[in-house]
Structure formats: C-alpha cells, structure tokens
C-alpha cells in the first residue's frame, strides 16, 4: 500500500499593507474610545466634587442649627476664615482641636513657617476638587498652608487692601441686595456681618452659599486663586462681578509680573481684588444654595441672574430651575 505524505501548509503572513490597515483601525477605535473614557472619568471627578461641596454646605447648616447664625466669612482679630469654624461640623475634630483660636492663622501652631507641620498645612481631602489639583499647597511665602477649591459667596464687592470694600459699579448700593457673607460696615475686617437664615428674604433655595475656585499650576506661585484659608483680599471668596469661568481676576497678590501660567485663568495685578467662580469642570461650576441644594451653573448663565443668585435680600425673581 502506497503511503500518503501530507505536506504542512504554509501560513501566509500579514503583508505590510494589511498590518498598516490593522494599526490604523486600532488607532481609530482608540481615538473614538478615549474621549468617552475621559468623559466618564470627569463625570466621576465631578460627582466627587459635588459630594465634597455638599459636605461644606451641610457643615454650614449644622453650624447655623447650633449657633443660630452662619459662620463668619473672615476676621482679622485674630486672622482666620470661615473654614476654621466649620471644621467641627465637617467631623474634623482633630483639626479643630489643633488650631489655636487665640492667635492668627500664620502663627504657631496654626502655621509653622516654611514647613508643612502647621495645622493650616495639614491636607484635608475636603479642601480639594478631584478635577483640579488635589493636594495643592501654598508655598508662595513663608506661611505654608493648603490651597483649596471651595469659596464663599461675597456678591458684587471688590476688596481693596486699603480703604472701604466697594462694589465695582459706583451706582450700586446695599438696597440692591447683600451677599450672605461680608462685613458689617463694608470696610472693617474686624466686623464680619452676622447673618441668619431669617435674613434670606429671597429664599434659601435662591441664594448661593458656596462655589468653586481653581488652584494655580504651581505651589510656589504667589496667586490668590486657591488660597481659600487666607483672609487676605479676595482669597477665600468668589464674587458675582463676572459669570462663572469668565472675566479677568484682579489681585494684589500676583508676584509673577502679572503673567499667567499656562493653565491659569486670566488675572491682572490691581488694588481692588475680585475673582470669578471657576472650576476645571467643562461648562460650568458647582454651587451650593443656602438650603443645601446642589446646582451645576453653566458658564453662559445671564449675568443678571447670576448676580441675583448672589444676593439674599435683593428681591429678584430667581427660578428654581435656573442654571
């Protein structure tokens, strides 16, 4: 019987053209998939930010429930800001206990110069928006401290280093409505205004308490954006002078020749400090209203509506669905 010998089949290899086609298809699929992945990641970061800013809103609600007033926005005798008062209501008793209420924020043990050992330099996750730069610090001078992304509503006021705190529009008067946070006489930082929810004649659901700011691109950049723990001009507040993520911020603290870093919003050196609410979220900013409801405010909101949401007693009509 004659045996049959089977010869192995020769496998045909990819040609160069076929290989290039496969690579091109993979590249197209990756290009299509990458934005979806980035969008999903940002959605997660935005949700985390919303959860954090809501915690700050709840802490203010609890502070008010205990003391029948909102926390002071800032004061200079001794120097500190609203964050210090809300630590216990953020379930951060350790931070609250470590802070010496009898002295300024920039003195020991609150701040240990040029080190990260002070209470003000202890990083708290609730300071940071996940879409920006978690862990951002201020090392622009010897008083090292945490930066952060959450700031209080100061309304339409600009804040000079010397002289009264004034509105950018000289025709503006208090009869047009006040923000929830400010100074009793609009001038003296030792006289923070006492505000209670009963003062919100526009309604707590129509008045903003907190929004976002951005941290600068480098810890050692001398720039107030993100300096939320400082009572200096324009540091721990946002203003409704400009709509979210718009306008040019003004600050006396911009010691880089007035030049902006690549990822920074525009800013100029000036005496009358103010900054817009800003975030790294595409399209807008997160806002907590006085009733602790959360809103995402689009960048294209009408300026009049944005300013109306910044006052607690201006008498404006603000829709519950405004965004």
């Amino acid at each position: 019987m004659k045996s049959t010998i089977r010869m192995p089949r020769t496998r045909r290899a990819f040609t160069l053209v076929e290989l290039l086609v496969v690579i091109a298809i993979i590249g197209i699929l990756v290009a299509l998939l990458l934005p979806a992945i980035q969008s999903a990641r940002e959605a997660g970061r935005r949700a985390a930010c919303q959860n954090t800013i809501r915690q700050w809103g709840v802490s203010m609600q609890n502070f008010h429930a205990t003391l029948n007033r909102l926390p002071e926005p800032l004061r200079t005798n001794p120097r500190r800001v609203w964050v210090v008062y809300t630590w216990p209501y953020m379930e951060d008793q350790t931070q609250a206990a470590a802070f010496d209420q009898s002295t300024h924020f920039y003195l020991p043990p609150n701040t240990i110069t040029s080190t990260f050992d002070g209470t003000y330099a202890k990083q708290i996750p609730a300071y940071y928006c996940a879409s920006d730069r978690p862990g951002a610090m201020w090392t622009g001078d010897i008083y090292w401290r945490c930066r952060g992304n959450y700031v209080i509503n100061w309304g339409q006021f600009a804040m000079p280093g010397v002289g009264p705190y004034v509105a950018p529009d000289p025709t503006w008067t208090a009869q047009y409505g006040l923000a929830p946070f400010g100074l009793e006489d609009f001038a003296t930082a030792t006289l923070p205004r006492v505000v209670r929810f009963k003062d919100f004649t526009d309604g707590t659901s129509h008045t903003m308490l907190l929004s976002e700011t951005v941290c600068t691109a480098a810890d050692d950049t001398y720039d107030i954006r993100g300096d939320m723990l400082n009572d200096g001009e324009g540091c721990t507040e946002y203003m409704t002078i400009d709509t979210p993520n718009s306008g040019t911020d003004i600050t006396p603290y911009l010691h880089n020749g007035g030049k902006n870093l690549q990822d920074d919003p525009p800013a100029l050196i000036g005496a009358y400090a103010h900054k817009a609410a800003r975030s790294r979220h595409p399209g807008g900013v997160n806002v907590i209203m006085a009733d602790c409801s959360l809103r995402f405010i689009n960048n294209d909101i009408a300026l009049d509506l944005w300013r109306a949401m910044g006052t607690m007693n201006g008498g404006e009509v603000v829709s519950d669905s405004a965004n």
Side-chain angles (χ1 to χ4, degrees):
M1 183 176 177
K2 188 177 181 181
S3 62
T4 303
I5 300 176
R6 296 185 177 181
M7 300 297 294
R9 294 183 179 179
T10 302
R11 294 185 177 180
R12 180 174 173 270
F14 280 108
T15 66
L16 178 60
V17 172
E18 290 172 330
L19 184 59
L20 292 175
V21 169
V22 170
I23 292 174
I25 292 173
I26 293 174
I28 292 172
L29 292 175
V30 170
L32 293 173
L33 186 59
L34 188 58
I37 294 174
Q38 292 175 334
S39 178
R41 287 177 176 173
E42 168 54 25
R45 291 191 292 261
R46 176 172 152 183
C49 175
Q50 291 173 336
N51 180 62
T52 301
I53 196 172
R54 194 190 301 274
Q55 290 179 47
W56 288 113
V58 170
S59 73
M60 288 197 175
Q61 290 275 344
N62 291 337
F63 184 99
H64 190 283
T66 302
L67 300 175
N68 193 34
R69 61 179 174 84
L70 288 172
E72 296 174 349
L74 56 83
R75 70 163 48 246
T76 56
N77 61 328
R79 292 179 61 181
R80 76 272 322 276
V81 299
W82 61 277
V83 177
V84 170
Y85 304 115
T86 55
W87 277 331
Y89 303 92
M90 290 287 287
E91 299 184 358
D92 203 330
Q93 298 293 343
T94 301
Q95 193 82 342
F99 189 88
D100 185 352
Q101 294 280 354
S102 67
T103 192
H104 298 293
F105 82 81
Y106 58 86
L107 295 176
N110 304 329
T111 298
I112 311 298
T113 56
S114 299
T115 76
F116 296 115
D117 298 327
T119 306
Y120 249 36
K122 302 303 181 185
Q123 293 181 345
I124 297 175
Y127 289 162
Y128 304 110
C129 168
S131 292
D132 194 8
R133 196 161 63 89
M137 300 293 295
W138 172 283
T139 59
D141 55 29
I142 63 174
Y143 305 111
W144 293 6
R145 54 192 179 267
C146 293
R147 294 183 190 264
N149 293 105
Y150 303 106
V151 283
I152 52 175
N153 171 20
W154 201 260
Q156 292 188 52
F157 285 98
M159 301 174 62
V162 179
Y165 291 18
V166 299
D169 181 353
T171 67
W172 185 94
T173 69
Q175 71 183 17
Y176 297 139
L178 299 173
F181 300 100
L183 303 176
E184 189 65 38
D185 61 354
F186 307 101
T188 307
T190 58
L191 298 174
R193 188 171 355 112
V194 176
V195 175
R196 299 177 174 87
F197 282 143
K198 69 178 183 179
D199 301 320
F200 286 63
T201 56
D202 289 348
T204 55
S205 64
H206 297 157
T207 307
M208 298 183 289
L209 281 186
L210 298 100
S211 187
E212 300 179 79
T213 188
V214 293
C215 295
T216 52
D219 289 350
D220 60 357
T221 302
Y222 203 85
D223 190 323
I224 64 170
R225 271 81 64 88
D227 194 16
M228 66 176 278
L229 297 179
N230 187 1
D231 64 291
E233 296 87 347
C235 291
T236 196
E237 311 89 4
Y238 73 99
M239 290 75 172
T240 55
I241 296 169
D242 298 306
T243 52
N245 293 302
S246 72
T248 299
D249 297 330
I250 305 298
T251 169
Y253 309 115
L254 195 66
H255 292 187
N256 59 352
K259 297 178 182 179
N260 301 296
L261 300 176
Q262 183 176 0
D263 294 332
D264 286 350
L268 294 172
I269 296 176
Y272 291 88
H274 64 84
K275 65 176 184 289
R278 299 185 187 274
S279 81
R280 302 296 187 191
H281 309 303
V285 295
N286 288 312
V287 162
I288 285 292
M289 310 302 284
D291 67 346
C292 221
S293 59
L294 172 73
R295 298 192 189 184
F296 186 78
I297 305 298
N298 294 329
N299 293 335
D300 60 359
I301 186 173
L303 180 58
D304 287 347
L305 178 57
W306 176 243
R307 290 180 173 176
M309 293 170 64
T311 66
M312 64 181 181
N313 55 2
E316 311 95 341
V317 177
V318 178
S319 169
D320 288 328
S321 60
N323 55 45

